[in-house]
Amino acid sequence: MCGVVGVAAHEPVNQILYDGLTMLQHRGQDAAGIVTLQDGRLYLRKENGMVRDVFMNRHMIKLVGEFGIGHVRYPTAGTSSSAEAQPFYVNSPYGITLAHNGNLTNAESLAKSLYIDDRRHLNTDSDSEVLLNVLAHEMQNLGKTHPTADDIFEAVKAVYTRCEGAYGVVALITGHGLLAFRDPNGIRPLVFGERLAANGGTEYMVASESVALTGSGFTIIRDVKPGEAIFVDLDHKLHTHQCVPQQEYTPCIFEYVYFARPDSIMDNISVYKSRLRMGEKLADKILAEWGEDHDIDVVIPIPDTSRTSAMELAMKMNVKYREGFMKNRYIGRTFIMPGQQQRKKSVRQKLSAVPLEFKDKNVLLVDDSIVRGTTCHEIIQMARDAGARKVFFASAAPPVKYPNVYGIDMPVRSELIASGHSVEEVRKIIGADRLIFQDLDDLIDAVKDTKYSKVEGFDCAVFNGCYITGQINEAYLDHLQELRSDIAKIGKKGVQIVADTPVDMMGVEEL
């Protein structure tokens, strides 16, 4: 999972992009990058690390221009390499730089086609570089020195015919402007907005989440529609076009469960309200299955994403809510770390228990989901070590049984604790006295319960194995296992990190 942002302003955009990436830091802590455009030249700074560490004052003053894009990335395989940090750049035609959130499910076949048919060289194993080169090739096929907005949309239309999967894209086309587009199913999020500039003109911003816009004073216009592209030319004129017919409108439901910030609004759905309703639904299920004599003394969330659901659950069940774990915010997310030992060690570094809230109590721990089970096993043991009499565990999401192929680097099926195990077996493995999961229908109802959204459904593949874009078979998942498993990652010492799924193919810079 990554975060992207693009800005077309009437003032230097370096600070706006920096602030936007900071607001999206939760979507990736491995690397960050910014490219700006001025007088036909692109200025780039990208490196491994958090936003605050990548961009120093000496870098910021060199990121000149009123147009720019930015990216934050998290690692997905192998070891970290700054060569895979985004945005990526190609010089032909025009000079194009691109940042991408998502995953191309046909990246390998596209990479081979680019090399054999389009004669384009790929310098990394990233599907984002594949997408950039597809766009560049289709722009080149226009055969125009001065393409119009309609010409650019024609090139994007051709990209849609070649690229399968999920993607939210921002790009700069040197000498022309800012481009953004979203996959035909709207799986990955993308929203754009505007604000009034000091000179009276209009400035535009596009980002993965609404918080990046509102945090910089932009007013949300709307989400980019599935299959739609938007383009802001150098005269700051906004152009929009539905490049391909919208397919079933199905954003990733795991954004609402875990990834997105609670103060974001995605596809006209409040993430915060969705998580409140998840807590309500889960409380109803606990009362139905465990009864009024559930024996729960206190509800404690696993910070941070489960906090909203846990508070609403406790309120509905009329049980005390307490903050029993304190979080060290300088430890990375554990489920994206390669290797079980590293994940186990990280849990103890990441959280510390408050013994007063556990001693001699029957505790219900609430988390947003259970993926490998490593984290919750360690947390349950921490609760017992802190003096809990009994430890119950509740997941605001259903059992995660299938890998994600659309840009979330979840484990392969063999490493998912709920794959091939019953709820009772999972309970024993993680060491809980009781375990309960949200029902998928209840999760869907919790997220969809709004009159403002036009969403038709959700990509729930990690829970039900139904991959929205199709063409995901056992052979594809087996190949994914070879690339993503812990054994594969440990074996790839020195191999570069990919932005999403790897492709099986052979300081500030002025570009």
Side-chain angles (χ1 to χ4, degrees):
M1 185 62 61
C2 302
V4 299
V5 59
V7 179
H10 291 274
E11 63 180 72
V13 295
N14 52 359
Q15 187 66 54
I16 305 172
L17 290 167
Y18 179 93
D19 293 341
L21 292 182
T22 301
M23 299 293 282
L24 297 175
Q25 187 74 85
H26 60 287
R27 300 186 69 86
Q29 303 91 42
D30 179 64
I34 289 176
V35 174
T36 58
L37 171 63
Q38 178 172 277
D39 298 329
R41 294 187 176 186
L42 295 168
Y43 298 85
L44 167 68
R45 167 64 182 172
K46 63 178 182 177
E47 188 55 80
N48 283 1
M50 306 280 276
V51 174
R52 65 173 181 264
D53 300 321
V54 171
F55 302 103
M56 302 291 106
N57 186 63
R58 66 183 184 274
H59 305 127
M60 296 293 287
I61 60 177
K62 294 180 181 180
L63 291 169
V64 295
E66 298 180 348
F67 282 68
I69 62 173
H71 185 268
V72 287
R73 181 199 71 180
Y74 79 92
T76 58
T79 58
S80 181
S81 167
S82 59
E84 302 290 341
Q86 297 186 44
F88 287 118
Y89 167 78
V90 291
N91 71 334
S92 177
Y94 317 117
I96 303 174
T97 183
L98 176 146
H100 159 232
N101 169 38
N103 179 53
L104 302 184
T105 55
N106 64 335
E108 289 193 9
S109 61
L110 277 175
K112 292 172 184 175
S113 174
L114 284 167
Y115 181 75
I116 296 170
D117 301 324
D118 301 341
R119 292 179 171 81
R120 284 188 167 269
H121 169 72
L122 299 179
N123 201 48
T124 71
D125 293 326
S126 170
D127 66 334
S128 301
E129 191 188 14
V130 171
L131 200 158
L132 168 60
N133 276 272
V134 171
L135 173 62
H137 184 75
E138 298 305 331
M139 289 289 294
Q140 188 167 308
N141 280 347
L142 294 173
K144 296 187 177 182
T145 306
H146 303 290
T148 65
D150 288 339
D151 293 328
I152 292 171
F153 290 142
E154 281 300 311
V156 175
K157 188 181 298 185
V159 172
Y160 278 115
T161 65
R162 297 181 66 179
C163 295
E164 300 170 3
Y167 41 90
V169 176
V170 292
L172 285 178
I173 304 173
T174 309
H176 300 286
L178 171 69
L179 172 68
F181 55 96
R182 189 181 185 189
D183 66 82
N185 292 98
I187 298 174
R188 297 271 70 88
L190 204 61
V191 61
F192 72 103
E194 64 182 5
R195 75 178 186 185
L196 189 65
N199 66 358
T202 303
E203 300 176 326
Y204 296 97
M205 184 174 184
V206 59
S208 296
E209 294 187 34
S210 62
V211 289
L213 279 67
T214 55
S216 294
F218 285 78
T219 300
I220 298 170
I221 297 175
R222 58 177 173 82
D223 295 275
V224 177
K225 297 175 184 176
E228 182 186 32
I230 67 172
F231 178 69
V232 183
D233 62 32
L234 295 183
D235 293 324
H236 296 84
K237 183 179 179 181
L238 175 68
H239 309 263
T240 67
H241 184 67
Q242 189 69 39
C243 294
V244 294
Q246 177 180 303
Q247 298 178 20
E248 188 179 2
Y249 196 169
T250 51
C252 174
I253 202 166
F254 213 72
E255 290 275 2
Y256 302 91
V257 171
Y258 177 74
F259 269 106
R261 279 180 45 150
D263 47 344
S264 284
I265 296 175
M266 309 173 76
D267 296 298
N268 276 334
I269 298 172
S270 165
V271 176
Y272 177 77
K273 287 291 185 68
S274 295
R275 291 177 183 169
L276 282 179
R277 291 189 289 264
M278 289 177 206
E280 292 176 358
K281 300 282 187 181
L282 192 55
D284 288 339
K285 184 175 181 181
I286 291 173
L287 291 172
E289 294 192 4
W290 296 0
E292 295 290 342
D293 55 345
H294 46 67
D295 205 24
I296 300 169
D297 297 321
V298 62
V299 172
I300 293 177
I302 311 301
D304 287 316
T305 45
S306 65
R307 182 174 285 117
T308 307
S309 297
M311 288 179 67
E312 193 67 10
L313 181 151
M315 184 178 297
K316 184 148 192 180
M317 293 184 63
N318 196 27
V319 176
K320 287 182 182 179
Y321 170 89
R322 292 291 186 270
E323 294 284 343
F325 290 106
M326 297 298 111
K327 185 175 181 180
N328 177 352
R329 300 185 181 278
Y330 303 97
I331 299 293
R333 289 182 167 182
T334 55
F335 90 88
I336 59 177
M337 289 183 179
Q340 290 288 80
Q341 282 304 117
Q342 189 174 352
R343 277 187 290 272
K344 288 181 179 180
K345 180 181 178 182
S346 176
V347 175
R348 295 275 179 168
Q349 294 174 335
K350 185 177 182 179
L351 296 176
S352 59
V354 180
L356 182 66
E357 301 299 344
F358 290 93
K359 187 171 177 57
D360 298 327
K361 296 177 183 176
N362 296 337
V363 179
L364 174 64
L365 302 180
V366 180
D367 207 351
D368 54 80
S369 59
I370 300 176
V371 183
R372 283 185 174 92
T374 308
T375 300
C376 54
H377 178 273
E378 290 298 306
I379 289 173
I380 288 168
Q381 188 57 51
M382 288 172 65
R384 296 195 191 281
D385 293 345
R389 186 167 56 242
K390 292 182 181 179
V391 182
F392 310 135
F393 206 95
S395 168
V400 176
K401 296 182 178 182
Y402 303 90
N404 184 281
V405 302
Y406 298 128
I408 302 175
D409 185 47
M410 283 186 173
V412 294
R413 193 184 308 179
S414 61
E415 295 170 357
L416 295 169
I417 192 171
S419 180
H421 291 109
S422 67
V423 173
E424 176 59 18
E425 288 170 335
V426 173
R427 181 195 69 77
K428 291 179 179 178
I429 293 170
I430 66 175
D433 293 293
R434 271 182 168 178
L435 172 65
I436 194 163
F437 287 94
Q438 186 91 263
D439 290 332
L440 181 55
D441 287 343
D442 286 341
L443 175 61
I444 293 171
D445 287 344
V447 180
K448 198 175 181 180
D449 186 16
T450 174
K451 62 183 179 181
Y452 301 109
S453 180
K454 295 181 181 179
V455 164
E456 299 169 283
F458 297 95
D459 166 48
C460 302
V462 297
F463 305 124
N464 60 15
C466 297
Y467 295 96
I468 295 296
T469 63
Q471 302 176 338
I472 306 299
N473 53 30
E474 287 298 319
Y476 184 95
L477 295 177
D478 288 344
H479 183 52
L480 201 65
Q481 172 133 346
E482 295 175 7
L483 298 170
R484 284 189 178 178
S485 69
D486 276 347
I487 294 174
K489 291 175 182 178
I490 293 169
K492 288 184 178 181
K493 294 179 180 178
V495 172
Q496 297 171 330
I497 296 294
V498 296
D500 288 295
T501 295
V503 178
D504 188 14
M505 287 289 292
M506 356 173 291
V508 175
E509 307 168 42
E510 182 181 319
L511 298 176

